[in-house]
Amino acid sequence: HVAWDIATNQQYAVKILSNKDLDRLGLRKRLNQEVHILRSLRHPNVVMLHQPLESNTNVYIFMELVHGGTLVDALQKFPDQR
């Protein structure tokens, strides 16, 4: 998903996760670890975390919007280099 901050005219990629699914699948701890790691990283090859938010029903992870396709798309452009 893509979100638009009208105050800053900035676009963000948004990962939307259901609280119900996070709890049912036991993934809340993993999500918290992901947020913690992304907050600590600053590297040009790592998507930057802007803001995690939680409502009664969902968790919203706002991240840097990267254009040009998915990681899988990028990896398919390079032959196996092993």
Side-chain angles (χ1 to χ4, degrees):
H1 295 89
V2 177
W4 192 283
D5 183 341
I6 57 173
T8 64
N9 202 31
Q10 181 73 37
Q11 285 185 315
Y12 296 97
V14 184
K15 184 187 291 188
I16 302 173
L17 305 159
S18 161
N19 281 325
K20 188 176 182 179
D21 289 343
L22 287 172
D23 293 334
R24 182 176 56 85
L25 299 171
L27 296 175
R28 189 165 298 273
K29 181 178 178 181
R30 183 174 172 183
L31 174 65
N32 290 336
Q33 290 171 334
E34 178 181 345
V35 167
H36 177 76
I37 290 167
L38 286 173
R39 278 186 169 155
S40 68
L41 292 175
R42 295 290 180 265
H43 190 278
N45 295 331
V46 176
V47 173
M48 192 168 98
L49 171 71
H50 286 280
Q51 181 72 42
L53 297 173
E54 185 170 357
S55 71
N56 289 334
T57 55
N58 294 312
V59 174
Y60 304 88
I61 310 288
F62 293 84
M63 300 172 289
E64 171 186 11
L65 180 62
V66 179
H67 298 280
T70 67
L71 176 59
V72 172
D73 295 336
L75 292 174
Q76 288 175 346
K77 292 179 184 177
F78 300 99
D80 189 11
Q81 307 237 345
R82 289 187 244 175

